[in-house]
Amino acid sequence: MPNLFLGVEGASVTFGQQDARVCALRDVSLSFEKGTLSLVTGPSGSGKTTLLSMLGCLLSPDEGSVFVDGVAVNGLSEAERTVIRQKKISFVFQAFRLFHSLSALDNVALGFEIRDPAAPGRKELALDLLLQFGLGDKLQQEPNELSPGEKQRVAIARALAGNPPILLADEPTASLDAEAGRNICQILRREVDEQGRTVVVVSHDPRWEKFADRTITLCDGRVEEEVAVL
Amino acid sequence: MKLALQNILHDRGRFSVTVLGVSFAVFLMVFQGSLLAGFLQAASRLIDASDTDIWITARGVQAFEFGTALESRVREMAAGVPGVMQTSRVCMAFAVYRTPIGKQQVVALVGADPNVGKRFPVPDAPESAEKMSPDAVLYDVSDRKQIEVAALPAEVEINRHRASIEREIQGYGAFLGVPFLFTSYRNAIRYLDFRSDQAVYILLRTDRRYPLSQIQQSLKQKLPEVDVLTRDEFAHKSRMYWTIKTGAGGAILTAAVLGFLIGLVVVSQTIYANTMENLEEYATLKALGAPQAFVARIVLAQALICGAVGSVLGLLAVVPSINYAKSLIPWIHAPWWLPAAMVVPSLAMCSLASIVSVRSALTVEPGRVFRA
Ligand SMILES: Nc1ncnc2c1ncn2[C@@H]1O[C@H](COP(=O)(O)OP(=O)(O)O)[C@@H](O)[C@H]1O
Ligand SMILES: [Mg+2]
């Protein structure tokens, strides 16, 4: 059987010792096709974030395998996993996690710098991305001067810097109002359709359902339901 | 690297404290360094001013200021050693000085033959451009207050002998707290009631065709009851006496080290606080794929920026301070390379101070980015 493009096979994750032991994922197998937007949903504590951490090379499963861009990544060293993150994966967070002291433009430019410190023209590339996201008038603003929706767009621009094939988002719209949330949904959908990016969104937000190619529901660390949208 | 700079600029208050800590350390290190350099220089100034090769001193003399008289025959015997071309006499002893208005005080009187060296202050040196009487007495400008002469020449008394102060010189101020007076050798022995040809130091000029060490060896054999030192050896001995045996050097260095330590503590505290505050951002950097070296560089750069700015401010403050201090401590001396050289310990201090912070930034788990 060929390796998955992105996914987990028989993955189990536990946290803590003895009495405090929590089984976050139990024998989960999931595959995410290239160029699709998958929604992972489920009640709080069901293991969604844990799944995303594994796909993002931030966490190794106790058992099972993780594949990123067709490569089995569990068993790699921390430095090797960092390189995979650097080249292939980017993240969008509920809390944005922008660098507080940098302007919008510098946040995105730093995204480019991390992916390829030697590449020239970071500022120009960052400017292009922000213009695409309608942030042309907020370039020099610092994060605390931006609205939540603008922050998340800057964060997505930073994530897309350097053109990584995979984008993982944990509750990207949970801190946003309806309007800004829909905007983010549209942006990520467009990345899938136009750039062929592979996007995994973890969210409670039902709005995502009509933007996703597939919805996976987790419960108690197991896959409860998988629904493909046609 | 912009992140490093912006992080610093974003926390102006803390940045100011850090920079102040560094400038304080640099200030203290340069100031104390100048005290030490000046002290060392002053401790052997008259020895260095001679251009003779060998100094003969009474056994066990530790410093120029504390010589005791040699026997007269030493000079004749030294002159007879092969390779010795010329001898000169220096005497130095404490004397009682009476100002023109009759106030008394102790001075150190130095008398030397005119051929001791071009830079050695004597009234009868052959090159002496402005004519003065061969028995004139000179004093250093830094001792003007204690000498108390209104106009030159001035009639004074030294050990109850009449003397004429004729010239103010510069650069021979002493750190003993006792003014130095300079005059010719034959005049000095008169004031000091030495026998003719008696001296405290016999200085020798040697023939370059003989190895200096060989001449020194022969002198030692011929004159076993005195010390035969090259000029540099005696200068070194004098400096060691004043800095190490008196403990003065230790005191000066302790203050410099204290400055370094205080700077170290201040900088490490503020850099650490800043790192802890930005720990989540370091985790984000790592999650986004920044290698460890990238993260370490940012923390280190923050410390070094503080170090560089603090050093510049410290130097800007210390240079005028040293110039001002010259009026109170005439022998303080900052060699040109000293302020520049102190930037090295200051940057080392900042790097050292950031070690703990770099470690915390490196050990933060990128996996925490998804936890609230
Ligand atoms: N680092 C951790 N240490 C201990 N327990 C954890 C950790 N991360 C997650 N858990 C536990 O694992 C379970 C699944 O967590 P998570 O994947 O965050 O769920 P979700 O994102 O679906 O809310 C929860 O019970 C949570 O308390
Ligand atoms: Mg979660």
Side-chain angles (χ1 to χ4, degrees):
Chain A
M1 197 185 115
N3 283 352
L4 304 175
F5 171 69
L6 175 67
V8 291
E9 256 176 25
S12 297
V13 178
T14 53
F15 292 109
Q17 305 285 315
Q18 286 148 21
D19 289 353
R21 207 172 148 91
V22 180
C23 216
L25 287 177
R26 303 156 199 263
D27 192 20
V28 170
S29 296
L30 281 170
S31 168
F32 300 88
E33 299 297 317
K34 196 169 185 166
T36 61
L37 195 160
S38 307
L39 172 64
V40 179
T41 173
S44 162
S46 57
K48 305 183 294 295
T49 298
T50 305
L51 173 66
L52 212 59
S53 303
M54 276 195 305
L55 295 175
C57 289
L58 294 171
L59 179 71
S60 289
D62 303 328
E63 276 169 49
S65 322
V66 180
F67 298 92
V68 174
D69 200 14
V71 177
V73 295
N74 46 319
L76 295 186
S77 71
E78 186 52 47
E80 290 165 324
R81 284 138 58 85
T82 302
V83 172
I84 299 224
R85 288 199 301 275
Q86 180 186 26
K87 301 293 174 208
K88 315 227 145 131
I89 305 170
S90 68
F91 298 97
V92 175
F93 312 98
Q94 176 179 351
F96 321 118
R97 289 190 159 261
L98 294 172
F99 301 106
H100 77 286
S101 65
L102 295 182
S103 66
L105 189 64
D106 286 333
N107 261 283
V108 181
L110 181 54
F112 279 101
E113 186 179 352
I114 293 170
R115 297 241 190 256
D116 186 356
R122 290 198 283 271
K123 275 266 159 84
E124 292 74 16
L125 292 166
L127 179 63
D128 272 355
L129 269 176
L130 287 171
L131 290 176
Q132 274 178 43
F133 292 149
L135 291 164
D137 53 343
K138 308 280 176 180
L139 300 176
Q140 298 308 330
Q141 243 77 323
E142 283 174 9
N144 62 7
E145 300 165 321
L146 299 172
S147 73
E150 288 164 345
K151 282 187 205 169
Q152 198 58 300
R153 278 183 281 155
V154 173
I156 292 174
R158 181 183 68 183
L160 295 178
N163 205 18
I166 296 165
L167 194 149
L168 307 174
D170 195 16
E171 305 281 5
T173 53
S175 309
L176 309 181
D177 61 31
E179 163 84 33
R182 194 168 53 247
N183 187 221
I184 300 299
C185 294
Q186 284 162 346
I187 287 174
L188 293 190
R189 183 70 238 178
R190 206 167 56 224
E191 286 300 317
V192 174
D193 294 338
E194 292 174 10
Q195 309 292 328
R197 238 178 279 282
T198 307
V199 177
V200 179
V201 173
V202 162
S203 185
H204 286 102
D205 189 343
R207 264 180 312 197
W208 279 101
E209 282 170 20
K210 64 175 187 285
F211 290 93
D213 298 307
R214 182 169 66 137
T215 302
I216 297 150
T217 310
L218 293 185
C219 192
D220 274 343
R222 291 182 213 277
V223 180
E224 196 182 57
E225 194 182 23
E226 266 192 76
V227 183
V229 181
L230 296 172
Chain B
M1 284 312 98
K2 187 149 187 189
L3 183 60
L5 183 62
Q6 290 297 331
N7 275 347
I8 291 177
L9 293 181
H10 242 252
D11 199 340
R12 301 268 161 85
R14 193 175 282 147
F15 176 56
S16 315
V17 172
T18 316
V19 163
L20 224 65
V22 177
S23 19
F24 175 76
V26 168
F27 184 97
L28 217 58
M29 287 191 289
V30 174
F31 197 87
Q32 296 297 319
S34 305
L35 282 178
L36 191 60
F39 196 72
L40 285 169
Q41 197 184 48
S44 64
R45 177 170 288 138
L46 288 168
I47 302 169
D48 295 327
S50 75
D51 53 16
T52 55
D53 305 307
I54 288 180
W55 280 63
I56 295 176
T57 77
R59 171 118 296 166
V61 169
Q62 301 283 353
F64 179 85
E65 288 76 5
F66 302 121
T68 51
L70 292 165
E71 288 179 56
S72 312
R73 61 184 186 92
V74 169
R75 182 156 90 111
E76 288 145 43
M77 290 176 75
V81 168
V84 172
M85 296 207 312
Q86 197 183 45
T87 64
S88 25
R89 299 156 296 185
V90 171
C91 55
M92 132 93 224
F94 294 95
V96 176
Y97 171 78
R98 237 173 110 90
T99 68
I101 56 161
K103 250 168 65 186
Q104 292 213 128
Q105 78 162 103
V106 173
V107 297
L109 182 72
V110 178
D113 277 330
N115 61 353
V116 164
K118 283 198 189 70
R119 290 178 298 138
F120 204 99
V122 282
D124 52 349
E127 302 86 358
S128 183
E130 295 144 87
K131 277 288 156 228
M132 53 185 144
S133 58
D135 290 338
V137 176
L138 322 176
Y139 71 95
D140 189 82
V141 57
S142 63
D143 294 326
R144 188 188 283 165
K145 271 209 201 85
Q146 289 162 287
I147 296 301
E148 285 191 337
V149 291
L152 297 176
E155 287 290 313
V156 297
E157 276 182 24
I158 297 172
N159 282 353
R160 304 209 160 273
H161 296 271
R162 282 156 59 88
S164 162
I165 300 223
E166 294 191 16
R167 177 74 68 79
E168 185 175 273
I169 55 171
Q170 225 172 29
Y172 292 90
F175 52 78
L176 280 181
V178 172
F180 269 67
L181 295 179
F182 302 94
T183 188
S184 62
Y185 167 76
R186 51 178 192 167
N187 202 24
I189 57 170
R190 199 158 57 82
Y191 297 153
L192 297 173
D193 295 321
F194 277 24
R195 271 170 287 121
S196 78
D197 210 31
Q198 197 178 15
V200 173
Y201 302 109
I202 299 294
L203 281 54
L204 309 177
R205 233 178 276 272
T206 61
D207 187 336
R208 289 274 169 264
R209 285 169 297 180
Y210 292 77
L212 188 57
S213 57
Q214 189 194 312
I215 301 172
Q216 190 181 9
Q217 209 45 50
S218 329
L219 283 162
K220 278 181 179 167
Q221 270 163 18
K222 205 164 165 197
L223 299 162
E225 72 283 8
V226 299
D227 284 345
V228 180
L229 304 162
T230 65
R231 186 185 63 166
D232 291 343
E233 281 169 357
F234 188 40
H236 183 253
K237 194 175 181 184
S238 209
R239 287 196 290 259
M240 287 308 109
Y241 171 79
W242 281 112
T243 49
I244 298 188
K245 296 216 173 134
T246 65
I252 292 172
L253 274 182
T254 304
V257 170
L258 223 58
F260 181 88
L261 290 179
I262 291 170
L264 187 69
V265 170
V266 170
V267 177
S268 57
Q269 287 300 311
T270 53
I271 293 283
Y272 186 70
N274 187 282
T275 307
M276 285 300 124
E277 225 162 67
N278 293 329
L279 212 53
E280 287 299 323
E281 297 197 353
Y282 294 120
T284 308
L285 272 177
K286 289 185 180 184
L288 296 181
Q292 295 284 64
F294 190 97
V295 175
R297 263 210 314 272
I298 287 176
V299 180
L300 190 62
Q302 290 179 2
L304 292 181
I305 291 170
C306 295
V309 176
S311 297
V312 169
L313 288 186
L315 293 181
L316 285 180
V318 82
V319 171
S321 304
I322 289 175
N323 285 336
Y324 174 72
K326 276 201 174 116
S327 59
L328 307 169
I329 313 167
W331 44 267
I332 193 169
H333 169 68
W336 63 268
W337 50 264
L338 183 71
M342 281 309 136
V343 174
V344 175
S346 129
L347 294 184
M349 172 183 89
C350 291
S351 313
L352 205 65
S354 66
I355 285 179
V356 180
S357 302
V358 169
R359 276 242 309 265
S360 340
L362 288 183
T363 48
V364 64
E365 280 276 342
R368 69 194 281 160
V369 288
F370 283 133
R371 265 170 264 148

